[in-house]
């Protein structure tokens, strides 16, 4: 049995399956990133209680930045990968 990442790692996976996996992953990670970016308080109270202030950010600001990084650059990576897979799917067969 293959791992869950076979669609990303191996060319033997059918392009429609790879495209579906990319779309599903993009939706989930994008939604999580957006929720983190717009949250009004830190989700992990244990982290907030540690009193860490990376780069002078509060725990809520740190979470917002992490959410933006997941949402925007992460979404762009998924979008480019999905477009490349879709291009292969839509390319006419040479015969």
């Amino acid at each position: 049995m293959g791992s869950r990442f076979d669609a990303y790692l191996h060319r033997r996976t059918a392009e429609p399956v790879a495209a579906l996996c990319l779309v599903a992953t993009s939706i989930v990670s994008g939604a999580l990133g957006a929720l983190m970016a717009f949250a009004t308080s830190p989700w992990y109270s244990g982290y907030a209680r540690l009193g860490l202030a990376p780069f002078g950010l509060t725990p809520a600001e740190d979470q917002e930045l992490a959410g933006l990084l997941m949402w925007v650059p992460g979404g762009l990576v998924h979008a480019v990968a999905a477009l490349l897979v879709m291009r292969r799917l839509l390319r006419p067969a040479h015969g």
Side-chain angles (χ1 to χ4, degrees):
M1 179 180 280
S3 74
R4 286 185 240 169
F5 298 105
D6 277 350
Y8 294 119
L9 300 176
H10 302 289
R11 290 194 181 259
R12 70 174 180 259
T13 302
E15 278 90 2
V17 173
L20 181 63
C21 288
L22 282 165
V23 169
T25 303
S26 179
I27 290 169
V28 171
S29 65
L32 179 60
L35 288 171
M36 286 177 68
F38 292 114
T40 57
S41 63
W43 287 356
Y44 303 105
S45 59
Y47 174 73
R49 282 193 304 266
L50 291 175
L52 300 175
F55 304 106
L57 300 173
T58 66
E61 291 169 338
D62 184 43
Q63 177 178 290
E64 289 172 9
L65 180 60
L68 283 172
L69 289 173
M70 284 179 64
W71 186 18
V72 179
L76 290 174
V77 169
H78 282 110
V80 168
L83 287 172
L84 291 173
V85 171
M86 292 302 289
R87 186 178 88 180
R88 277 197 314 234
L89 271 173
L90 298 174
R91 184 178 295 158
H94 297 288

